[in-house]
Amino acid sequence: MKRIAMITAFCCTAFAGAVWCAGIWNDTNFTMEERKWQACPTDLVAGANDGVGDGSHHPADDCGICHGSNGVAASKVLTISATVYDSRAARRPVPGAEIVFQDYAGNSYSMVANDLGILWSEDPMSGDTSLGSADDSNTWRYKAWVVAGGGERPMMTMPAVGGMMVPRMSCNMHHVVSGTLGGLWAAPASTLRSYPATGLSYQKHIFPILRSKCGPCHIPGETVAEQGLDDTFDYGAGLDLMTYGGSAVEAEGTVHAKKGIRTIVNTSTPDASELFAKTIYGGTHGGGEFWGGDNPDYRALRQWIAEGALEN
Ligand code: HEC
Ligand code: HEC
């Protein structure tokens, strides 16, 4: 059973991209690379596509196993379903989290999680009809965003729904391979409740921040997501923020060497650290924006760098 790891976030912010409006998708622009930065559509009523019922069973399960047209609950086919959790450990559901989908035809859908963090829809999805009938979930392609806890986060990957036994769709499919893809904890809230003004510790203060905010992507080992065709995407970007000095993990004969936190800090001019160039106020970061300059996490990181970025 795969669990999904998601963020906290809340209302969609203004759409930043330009080349994006309904009905213009095709094979060349409905790709993860093309769409990864795009912000959530703003013209939706939260929960407008919520499915009918209580939905109080099988949290975290792949609902489509039963709620597909060949499943035991074929009387109630769900097109989209998910359980939203606050972290990869899937301990706490996030009631009220909104998931927004946009399908290949440019239709957008909004669903809000119930008190168990579960959401679902029965509304039809449009597929890429050059691949077959839109009734066949093999043709469905979609971009998704998680909106909760004061921020919004795009799902980084756009896996095809196809290849399964029954037509269905489940957010778990974003969390393939190591379960690290997709939406993630990226709330603007600080990671620890408080930090000392000086004497910051890598182990006590810095690692928890990196683990919580960066861990979904910057982990050791291979982090290339295969998207079918020729579309691959390295969501870890050769950077392992779970180790101080980097890592080299061997898998199936290939060594995946990655840099650690030490390589992205500038101890003489902390503000010139690549870490901040990527994570403050957006910028062009595969992981998106994390903090403004007054955020407690940011201030703790900056102080730790100014004190020499030690592995203390
Ligand atoms: C092991 C099979 C199975 C799984 C997994 C499963 N369901 Fe169901 N579900 C059923 C059956 C069977 C029914 C009754 C169908 C009927 O009444 O025709 C049902 C009914 C429902 C209903 C209508 C009753 C109600 O609760 O209001 C909803 C909504 C629902 N399921 C949502 C979900 C969601 C969302 C998921 C995933 C988190 C899920 N189900 C996972 C088997 C399953
Ligand atoms: C959702 C996945 C994701 C998360 C979470 C994430 N990043 Fe990234 N990061 C990427 C991707 C993809 C790239 C490569 C594209 C780019 O350079 O922006 C990247 C690149 C970087 C780079 C440039 C690395 C290089 O050598 O080119 C830095 C620095 C970085 N991220 C820092 C961070 C920090 C610090 C955090 C946590 C606060 C974080 N990232 C969280 C996906 C992520």
Side-chain angles (χ1 to χ4, degrees), residues 23 25-27 30 103-107 124-142:
W25 300 117
N26 57 44
D27 275 354
F30 204 98
D103 71 17
Y104 198 72
N107 305 311
M125 297 282 292
S126 291
D128 173 0
T129 47
S130 69
L131 300 173
S133 158
D135 293 338
D136 177 355
S137 66
N138 286 301
T139 70
W140 296 353
R141 299 170 67 189
Y142 56 93

Side-chain angles (χ1 to χ4, degrees), residues 51-52 57 63-64 66-69 73-82 118-123 125 140 167-170:
V52 178
H57 59 193
C63 318
C66 298
H67 287 280
S69 58
S75 57
K76 190 172 179 69
V77 172
L78 306 181
T79 44
I80 307 169
S81 57
I118 301 178
L119 54 85
W120 67 97
S121 181
E122 291 137 82
D123 292 348
M125 297 282 292
W140 296 353
R168 65 186 208 195
M169 175 171 287
S170 149

